Amino acid sequence: MKLRWGALALAGVLALTACGAESGAPSAAAGGEGGGGDGGSLVWAVETQPITFNPHQWGQNKARLLVHNQFDNLIARGRNGEFLPWLAKSWKVSEDELTYTFELRDDVTFHDGEKFDAASVKANLDQLVSPGYNAAVSAIQLRNFDRAEATAPHTLKVTLKAPDGLFLDFLSAPYAGQVSPKSLKNAKDLKAGGVDVVGTGPFILDRFTPGQEVRYRRNPNYDWPPTGSAHQGPAHLAEITYRFLPEAAVRVGALTSGQVQVIEGVPATEIGLIKSDPELKLETSLNSGSAFSYYFNVSRPPFDDKRVREAFRDAVDVDAVLNSVYQGTAKRAWSVIGQGSPQFYDPSLEKTFGNDPARANRLLDEAGWKERDAEGFRVKDGKRLTVRTVNAAPFVRDRRDILAQAVQAAVKQSAGIDFQVKIVDQGTAQKAVDENEYEIFENSRGDTDAGAALNLILAKGAAINRTKFESAELDRLLADASAAADLAERKKLYAKVQKIVVTDEAILLPVYVPADQIAYGAGVTGITFEPVSGTPNSAYDVRTGT
């Protein structure tokens, strides 16, 4: 066969208080070659507590920086989106694009002492497609996966059922972080993760205190960072603690008072303070993937009527809302794909909808919502024009609760729409989804390839298709784009997808492009962002002078 070569140029709450990994794990002694292992500790305040420490179950973009502290991938992404070596040294792809052969490193060890090899990668892939483990990954990212074979100790052959342009991207994503086969077999709670779910990464999960913090200690044996890392050998830091501080003002106060050295999720109200302090630095980066949007549930009234969907969009001056909440620091979104994914974003959609209260009211009149009740809300057949959003608290970031309140006020004032905002626990949110008791689904995805996000959100029967919109044409476009290897062809197909969902069917209101903001104090260096996702990198290259 002719070959084409490519160069790799909770569930539940965790009750973990253990002080280390399994007994076979190395201790965090000092030392290391190649510029790593020079010591020091760091406290980093984060906005969101992870709901799992298992990379296979990852679903919070805000927790991505923790994944790559503990787990490595087969491949990495470069500044131009190219695939680069990591645990895999090289790969080759068959001419029919159905067979991938990976040559793996032979010097890598899991935190529990197990050797990394082709058999361990096979175990991870087999686990990911096992029934009930991660249905979304099995149905989307690995839907074309057929089988994996260890043809030699460090040679892996993967066979696909159909060409898949997203497969290599998946292998670089947190979902494909390599977990020790021993963990896959013996972990007490595999889906939740914890100290007994281990990887090969530069840090070892040492202790997790729910609601407070998670602590990692250095892996002294680490010597296999991805291409492009600033140094080789173990991490600089001997330990790093991530403290969970959901209140933005509390995070900023902790930084300015010296209780923590780094924070993420800097609120717009505090950016001026950070910039004016010569002892502090601020870094920002747009995220890749889908924009934060309000998706309309078209399976039930009132959004089963396109006129009402368009009216909701026209009732909101998104620019004014964003300015009021984020004070000019948020990037306005115009499509389901954010500008953080420029290779697929369609700029022709800009300024084609929204902020037209007169049209919003005309459309609602046409749809039969002509009367008003005593509070000014529109009614029809004695029923108020009410739409609900039900959000799980662990996924609320970027002051999205405040943003929803601003939208709530806007649609009431402009068009008499009763927008109800509920932030609840995960169980209650899932119950609302299961019972179809919602009209708006709020979501953004941080996938490095926006196509993965579109497949999860828009395809018929997809894991998070909460709009319940179905279109054979849309599904065909998504499938063709996923199978295409040519970037220009995929861009054309995704432009058609965006036109359908944004212009033709109006099944969502794009709001803003998610971004990460990191502030840190003097003496901290090595804070960087992943070049494609735009999210904070792991702490591998971070140093502190304290």
Side-chain angles (χ1 to χ4, degrees):
M1 180 179 291
K2 184 179 178 181
L3 298 172
R4 184 180 75 248
W5 285 85
L8 292 181
L10 287 172
V13 176
L14 301 177
L16 303 175
T17 56
C19 296
E22 295 184 6
S23 59
S27 62
E33 300 296 330
D38 45 338
S41 62
L42 185 77
V43 181
W44 185 323
V46 295
E47 182 176 4
T48 306
Q49 175 176 301
I51 59 175
T52 174
F53 287 92
N54 179 341
H56 296 169
Q57 304 294 324
W58 168 81
Q60 298 162 287
N61 214 37
K62 280 285 188 177
R64 185 182 179 115
L65 76 166
L66 301 182
V67 174
H68 283 153
N69 276 339
Q70 192 178 1
F71 301 93
D72 296 330
N73 287 80
L74 294 189
I75 58 180
R77 301 298 293 272
R79 295 190 177 279
N80 297 316
E82 71 275 21
F83 295 106
L84 298 173
W86 199 345
L87 297 184
K89 299 185 295 184
S90 64
W91 83 84
K92 56 185 177 182
V93 186
S94 63
E95 191 173 61
D96 62 5
E97 300 180 0
L98 296 179
T99 303
Y100 290 70
T101 303
F102 297 90
E103 296 299 331
L104 308 176
R105 295 186 66 128
D106 60 5
D107 59 347
V108 178
T109 304
F110 288 98
H111 299 157
D112 58 12
E114 294 286 296
K115 282 288 187 180
F116 167 81
D117 56 16
S120 64
V121 180
K122 171 179 166 53
N124 275 259
L125 289 169
D126 290 345
Q127 181 68 48
L128 279 160
V129 296
S130 63
Y133 186 61
N134 190 325
V137 167
S138 181
I140 301 297
Q141 287 95 335
L142 289 177
R143 63 181 174 180
N144 292 317
F145 174 77
D146 183 23
R147 63 187 182 276
E149 304 168 77
T151 59
H154 293 91
T155 302
L156 181 78
K157 178 182 176 182
V158 176
T159 303
L160 303 182
K161 292 177 285 190
D164 194 331
L166 294 173
F167 183 61
L168 289 179
D169 177 75
F170 166 73
L171 294 180
S172 72
Y175 284 124
Q178 293 298 295
V179 177
S180 163
K182 184 185 292 185
S183 295
L184 297 177
K185 292 180 181 179
N186 301 327
K188 295 177 182 177
D189 190 339
L190 178 58
K191 285 191 174 183
V195 294
D196 60 351
V197 177
V198 305
T200 64
F203 291 94
I204 298 167
L205 179 61
D206 188 59
R207 182 167 68 248
F208 169 54
T209 306
Q212 298 183 34
E213 64 185 30
V214 59
R215 182 175 299 177
Y216 296 88
R217 54 187 171 86
R218 182 170 55 208
N219 176 3
N221 298 326
Y222 193 76
D223 197 20
W224 42 86
T227 298
S229 296
H231 78 282
Q232 300 295 309
H236 295 302
L237 297 171
E239 67 174 29
I240 181 168
T241 299
Y242 293 90
R243 192 165 294 167
F244 310 130
L245 299 178
E247 295 295 329
V250 174
R251 289 195 302 279
V252 174
L255 177 65
T256 56
S257 66
Q259 297 177 60
V260 304
Q261 291 78 54
V262 184
I263 65 171
E264 61 86 25
V266 181
T269 52
E270 305 294 340
I271 285 178
L273 172 66
I274 300 295
K275 288 184 174 180
S276 66
D277 190 330
E279 296 297 313
L280 300 177
K281 293 183 179 180
L282 177 71
E283 308 280 355
T284 64
S285 176
L286 290 180
N287 296 167
S288 63
S290 61
F292 175 71
S293 304
Y294 287 166
Y295 293 85
F296 304 132
N297 182 353
V298 305
S299 72
R300 56 176 295 141
F303 288 139
D304 57 342
D305 189 328
K306 180 184 173 184
R307 293 170 296 185
V308 180
R309 303 197 295 268
E310 291 187 345
F312 190 98
R313 299 199 313 187
D314 284 335
V316 184
D317 183 344
V318 173
D319 289 316
V321 166
L322 293 179
N323 274 332
S324 69
V325 177
Y326 301 113
Q327 300 183 10
T329 64
K331 180 76 171 178
R332 166 74 187 271
W334 288 100
S335 179
V336 61
I337 297 177
Q339 292 93 313
S341 296
Q343 71 273 39
F344 298 135
Y345 171 70
D346 183 4
S348 71
L349 297 171
E350 294 179 7
K351 300 182 180 180
T352 60
F353 61 88
N355 190 23
D356 191 344
R359 182 173 184 270
N361 283 284
R362 184 173 69 252
L363 287 169
L364 291 176
D365 287 343
E366 293 174 1
W369 297 93
K370 296 181 179 181
E371 300 179 4
R372 304 258 184 164
D373 62 17
E375 296 182 57
F377 293 113
R378 287 179 176 265
V379 295
K380 180 170 68 172
D381 300 330
K383 184 178 181 180
R384 178 180 285 185
L385 179 52
T386 299
V387 296
R388 299 162 295 171
T389 180
V390 183
N391 296 311
F395 291 93
V396 177
R397 55 172 282 195
D398 299 346
R399 305 185 78 211
R400 289 177 181 175
D401 51 342
I402 308 301
L403 174 64
Q405 292 172 21
V407 174
Q408 180 184 61
V411 296
K412 177 183 180 181
Q413 180 177 355
S414 296
I417 300 172
D418 180 20
F419 179 31
Q420 298 182 2
V421 180
K422 299 180 180 180
I423 298 176
V424 297
D425 61 85
Q426 284 182 266
T428 302
Q430 187 59 50
K431 184 173 184 288
V433 170
D434 294 342
E435 297 178 354
N436 201 30
E437 289 294 333
Y438 66 95
E439 287 72 37
I440 286 178
F441 168 57
E442 301 179 28
N443 184 262
S444 64
R445 291 280 308 179
D447 304 272
T448 50
D449 190 307
L454 300 185
N455 284 333
L456 282 164
I457 298 171
L458 301 178
K460 178 181 178 180
I464 54 174
N465 182 346
R466 305 282 168 77
T467 68
K468 304 185 182 297
F469 175 75
E470 296 182 5
S471 162
E473 179 187 8
L474 180 63
D475 290 345
R476 177 184 59 78
L477 291 168
L478 290 170
D480 289 348
S482 294
D486 181 69
L487 186 63
E489 177 63 18
R490 295 184 71 206
K491 184 171 185 176
K492 290 179 182 178
L493 293 168
Y494 286 138
K496 294 178 180 179
V497 167
Q498 292 170 82
K499 182 177 184 298
I500 290 173
V501 301
V502 177
T503 304
D504 298 345
E505 299 294 341
I507 67 170
L508 73 152
L509 169 62
V511 183
Y512 74 94
V513 183
D516 275 290
Q517 312 85 21
I518 299 180
Y520 53 97
V524 177
T525 59
I527 298 288
T528 58
F529 295 91
E530 293 189 21
V532 178
S533 71
T535 56
N537 257 320
S538 75
Y540 174 64
D541 285 325
V542 176
R543 293 177 184 262
T544 177
T546 59

